């Protein structure tokens, strides 16, 4: 059954006449309403997941259980990204794909009531297989409605895409704030003394921090995380996981009852095998190949801040209770900058934003290599994740938008590739998290950042050259004038997209 076919019993919008101002205003309202509702569901869902994942390396350190489960999640997501998004979205539609995927995420919250390899592994696999359809459906939904909104407002598609992704990540990244507040207050209820920031450090403690925390943390079992789980009563864990489970179920309910469906027109009649192979065929595009490293870096840097920074630079020198309060800075700055960068991009272009985030990450990586995290002053512990959140806002909003614009005619396949390569970065980072020293991980980050940024700039250069000298294939595919991917957000002509309705034209909610 085609859940979002044009024969749906829900009302189908005809093409709105731009001269009918009431219809245009109503259509714009419906588009924004659905975007905000999707943002709310993602906020709630990832409030639970982010809160739990930030604690895994500290709450479940035995035999690498916590980070091992995260590695399994993203390993499963890799398989999911290659096989499931296009197939599922085409058959049940964006709305129900997101709904079902959120339920898959909730399984992970339930498994953390009694964390063990027997409970976390199956839940991690379910969550991983839910991840790629979830994000691909979201990206397809947002990009499709952005195309229609651009027509209604006579703006460039790329400008609207960037704005919508900016709005999404403004709301989405608040999950770090809410999720971390929940974890900090619930965990602190078991040990209020650990909320007191140390005003002095003994010589013995300094020696421990110098040798076993920060960049010198080699996962050898001498950090403070070893006793964390024993210090927290089971009742406290049950309360925390109960809250996260309820929040996840609320996200699913919001998606089911309040978000409207969209119809994605496709003039092509492709079989199942063709849909599944589209993800692989997309890798023949040399632009996709050149973007692999920077996309993997996005996974590496997120894994580092949630897995390594929380354990080696917070739990080890201070206490697990401080993870939430410190990571609020990451989430808060990330949320604000995600919105601002979505707006700023149409004036600055993408290259300056990518360059800014590269410089920030370079500076922080070098700082973490030399900084000994003595807990004598709280400022560094909060400032570092704040700046990391600023850089991550660029990677999340602009990489998503870049894929949406650069591969507009192949939305589902391109976003599946985005999640695939980002997930590979996650998998590698979480897989080696319990086995190698933090300073080695920082050098890995540095290498991927430099190589990935260089290849990204090469993609921009090639696209500029193609814009100046378009081939016949480019013209027939409507890919001329795509200067926005190079830093000119006004370069895309809306008409270029209208020449190919098979890319996914919004016809109804």
């Amino acid at each position: 059954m085609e859940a979002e076919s044009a024969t749906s019993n829900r009302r189908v919008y005809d093409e709105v006449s731009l001269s009918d101002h009431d219809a245009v205003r109503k259509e714009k309202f419906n588009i924004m309403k659905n975007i905000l509702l999707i943002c709310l569901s993602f906020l709630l869902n990832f409030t639970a997941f982010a809160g739990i994942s930030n604690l895994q390396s500290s709450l479940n350190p035995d035999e690498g259980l916590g980070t091992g489960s995260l590695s399994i999640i993203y390993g499963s997501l890799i398989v999911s990204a290659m096989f499931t998004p296009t197939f599922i979205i085409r058959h049940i539609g964006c709305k129900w794909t997101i709904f079902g995927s959120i339920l898959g995420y909730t399984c992970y919250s339930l498994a953390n009531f009694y964390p063990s390899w027997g409970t976390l592994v199956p839940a991690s696999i379910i969550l991983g297989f839910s991840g790629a359809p979830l994000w691909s459906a979201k990206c397809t939904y947002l990009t499709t409605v952005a195309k229609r909104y651009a027509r209604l407002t006579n703006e460039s598609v790329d400008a609207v895409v960037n704005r919508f992704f900016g709005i999404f990540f403004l709301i989405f990244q608040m999950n770090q704030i809410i999720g971390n507040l929940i974890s900090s207050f619930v965990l602190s209820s078991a040990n209020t003394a650990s909320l007191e920031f140390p005003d002095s450090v003994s010589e013995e403690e300094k020696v421990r921090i110098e040798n076993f925390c920060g960049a010198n943390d080699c996962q050898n079992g001498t950090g403070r995380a070893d006793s964390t789980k024993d210090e927290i009563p089971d009742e406290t864990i049950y309360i925390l996981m109960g809250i996260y489970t309820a929040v996840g179920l609320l996200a699913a309910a919001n998606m089911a009852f309040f978000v409207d469906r969209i119809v994605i027109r496709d003039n092509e009649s492709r079989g199942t095998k063709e849909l599944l192979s589209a993800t692989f065929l997309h890798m023949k595009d040399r632009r996709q190949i050149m973007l692999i490293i920077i996309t993997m870096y996005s996974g590496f840097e997120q894994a580092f801040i949630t897995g390594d920074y929380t354990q080696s630079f917070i739990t080890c020198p201070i206490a697990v209770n401080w993870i939430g309060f410190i990571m609020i800075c990451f989430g808060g700055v990330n949320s604000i900058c995600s919105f601002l960068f979505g707006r700023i991009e149409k004036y600055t272009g993408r290259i300056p934003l990518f360059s800014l985030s590269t410089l920030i990450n370079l500076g922080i990586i070098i700082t973490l290599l030399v900084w000994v995290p003595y807990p004598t002053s709280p400022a560094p512990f909060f400032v570092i994740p704040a700046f990391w959140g600023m850089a991550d806002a660029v990677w999340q909003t602009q990489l998503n938008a870049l894929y949406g614009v650069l591969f507009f005619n192949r939305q589902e396949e391109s976003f599946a590739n985005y999640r695939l390569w980002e997930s590979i970065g996650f998998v590698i980072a979480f897989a080696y998290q319990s086995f190698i020293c933090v300073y080695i991980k920082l050098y890995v980050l540095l290498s991927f950042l430099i190589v990935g940024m260089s290849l990204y700039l090469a993609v921009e250069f090639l696209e500029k050259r193609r814009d100046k000298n378009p081939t016949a294939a480019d013209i027939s595919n409507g890919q001329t004038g795509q200067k926005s991917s190079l830093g000119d957000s006004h370069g895309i002509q809306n008409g270029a997209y209208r020449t190919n309705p098979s890319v996914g034209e919004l016809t109804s909610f």
Side-chain angles (χ1 to χ4, degrees), residues 196-254:
E196 300 174 5
F197 202 91
D199 54 6
S200 63
V201 182
S202 66
E203 289 301 319
E204 182 181 352
E205 185 71 359
K206 282 186 177 181
V207 171
R208 185 188 71 84
I209 292 173
E210 288 172 0
N211 293 312
F212 303 115
C213 298
N216 291 325
D217 184 355
C218 293
Q219 324 302 323
N220 52 13
T222 58
R224 189 167 284 161
D226 306 309
S227 60
T228 295
K229 187 66 182 292
D230 296 332
E231 295 174 355
I232 301 174
D234 288 342
E235 292 77 10
T236 303
I237 300 295
Y238 298 155
I239 293 172
L240 182 60
M241 297 308 156
I243 293 172
Y244 284 146
T245 300
V247 169
L249 292 175
L250 184 60
N254 174 68

Side-chain angles (χ1 to χ4, degrees), residues 481-494:
Q482 294 191 20
K483 296 179 182 178
S484 61
S485 62
L486 322 167
D488 179 1
S489 65
H490 299 288
I492 292 186
Q493 303 299 317
N494 294 335

Side-chain angles (χ1 to χ4, degrees), residues 32 49 64 119 188 240 340 350 399 452:
M32 292 306 303
F49 178 66
T119 57
S188 297
L240 182 60
L340 292 178
R350 252 187 298 273
L399 265 180

Side-chain angles (χ1 to χ4, degrees), residues 313-331:
F313 292 89
I314 302 176
T315 299
C316 184
I318 314 175
V320 66
N321 306 61
W322 281 90
I323 289 177
F325 293 118
I326 291 175
M327 291 299 288
I328 286 172
C329 289
F330 170 81

Side-chain angles (χ1 to χ4, degrees), residues 316-436:
C316 184
I318 314 175
V320 66
N321 306 61
W322 281 90
I323 289 177
F325 293 118
I326 291 175
M327 291 299 288
I328 286 172
C329 289
F330 170 81
V333 173
N334 199 320
S335 177
I336 295 170
C337 289
S338 294
F339 177 76
L340 292 178
F341 290 155
R343 297 269 180 173
I344 292 172
E345 187 275 340
K346 69 178 181 179
Y347 302 107
T348 65
R350 252 187 298 273
I351 292 179
L353 294 179
F354 272 87
S355 300
L356 172 65
S357 62
T358 300
L359 291 175
I360 291 173
N361 278 160
L362 282 173
I364 295 177
I365 290 170
I366 294 171
T367 299
L368 293 178
L369 283 169
V370 300
W371 177 47
V372 180
Y374 297 131
T376 53
S377 172
F381 295 93
F382 289 87
V383 170
I384 288 174
F387 275 97
W388 198 281
M390 181 183 298
D392 182 69
V394 174
W395 302 126
Q396 298 308 306
T397 60
Q398 298 308 307
L399 265 180
N400 269 280
L402 176 63
Y403 271 75
V405 172
L406 206 60
F407 309 113
F408 197 94
N409 291 346
R410 290 167 287 166
Q411 291 181 48
E412 294 158 15
E413 298 89 340
S414 66
F415 286 126
N417 269 271
Y418 172 83
R419 300 309 301 179
L420 165 65
W421 295 109
E422 185 183 50
S423 298
I424 290 177
F426 274 111
V427 169
I428 296 173
F430 284 128
Y432 66 45
Q433 200 271 347
S434 299
F435 302 102
I436 65 175

Side-chain angles (χ1 to χ4, degrees), residues 98-397:
I98 296 173
F99 168 77
S101 298
I102 290 175
L103 292 180
Y105 272 70
T106 306
C107 293
Y108 192 66
S109 300
L110 292 171
N112 273 274
F113 276 92
Y114 301 98
S116 67
W117 290 105
T119 57
L120 286 185
V121 169
S124 297
I125 293 173
I126 293 172
L127 193 157
F129 273 91
S130 302
L134 175 72
W135 285 96
S136 293
K138 181 272 299 182
C139 290
T140 300
Y141 198 111
L142 261 63
T143 309
T144 301
V145 297
K147 175 178 180 280
R148 185 167 186 84
Y149 197 89
R151 176 184 177 272
L152 297 174
T153 59
N154 196 29
E155 297 178 81
S156 76
V157 173
D158 187 44
V160 178
V161 167
N162 274 285
R163 188 188 315 149
F164 283 5
F165 274 107
I167 293 171
F168 173 82
F169 281 104
L170 166 68
I171 298 173
F172 169 77
Q173 294 295 357
M174 292 171 69
N175 71 76
Q176 288 282 348
I177 300 175
I178 302 172
N180 287 316
L181 274 176
I182 292 172
S183 67
S184 287
F185 282 117
V186 172
L187 293 176
S188 297
S189 66
N191 183 8
T192 56
S194 61
L195 281 177
E196 300 174 5
F197 202 91
D199 54 6
S200 63
V201 182
S202 66
E203 289 301 319
E204 182 181 352
E205 185 71 359
K206 282 186 177 181
V207 171
R208 185 188 71 84
I209 292 173
E210 288 172 0
N211 293 312
F212 303 115
C213 298
N216 291 325
D217 184 355
C218 293
Q219 324 302 323
N220 52 13
T222 58
R224 189 167 284 161
D226 306 309
S227 60
T228 295
K229 187 66 182 292
D230 296 332
E231 295 174 355
I232 301 174
D234 288 342
E235 292 77 10
T236 303
I237 300 295
Y238 298 155
I239 293 172
L240 182 60
M241 297 308 156
I243 293 172
Y244 284 146
T245 300
V247 169
L249 292 175
L250 184 60
N254 174 68
M255 200 70 210
F257 295 113
F258 300 111
V259 175
D260 295 324
R261 292 179 290 180
I262 60 170
V263 172
I264 298 179
R265 266 188 209 148
D266 197 333
N267 290 348
E268 300 172 344
S269 179
R270 299 191 292 176
T272 300
K273 292 183 179 180
E274 291 177 289
L275 293 174
L276 294 175
S277 66
T279 301
F280 296 100
L281 294 175
H282 182 70
M283 296 182 198
K284 291 184 177 181
D285 192 318
R286 66 174 178 176
R287 297 170 299 174
Q288 176 62 70
I289 297 299
M290 296 171 74
L291 290 174
I292 286 176
I293 300 299
I294 197 65
T295 308
M296 288 180 64
Y297 174 77
S298 175
F300 273 106
E301 60 92 8
Q302 291 178 76
F304 180 84
I305 194 69
T306 58
D308 293 297
Y309 186 82
T310 55
Q311 177 176 328
S312 302
F313 292 89
I314 302 176
T315 299
C316 184
I318 314 175
V320 66
N321 306 61
W322 281 90
I323 289 177
F325 293 118
I326 291 175
M327 291 299 288
I328 286 172
C329 289
F330 170 81
V333 173
N334 199 320
S335 177
I336 295 170
C337 289
S338 294
F339 177 76
L340 292 178
F341 290 155
R343 297 269 180 173
I344 292 172
E345 187 275 340
K346 69 178 181 179
Y347 302 107
T348 65
R350 252 187 298 273
I351 292 179
L353 294 179
F354 272 87
S355 300
L356 172 65
S357 62
T358 300
L359 291 175
I360 291 173
N361 278 160
L362 282 173
I364 295 177
I365 290 170
I366 294 171
T367 299
L368 293 178
L369 283 169
V370 300
W371 177 47
V372 180
Y374 297 131
T376 53
S377 172
F381 295 93
F382 289 87
V383 170
I384 288 174
F387 275 97
W388 198 281
M390 181 183 298
D392 182 69
V394 174
W395 302 126
Q396 298 308 306
T397 60

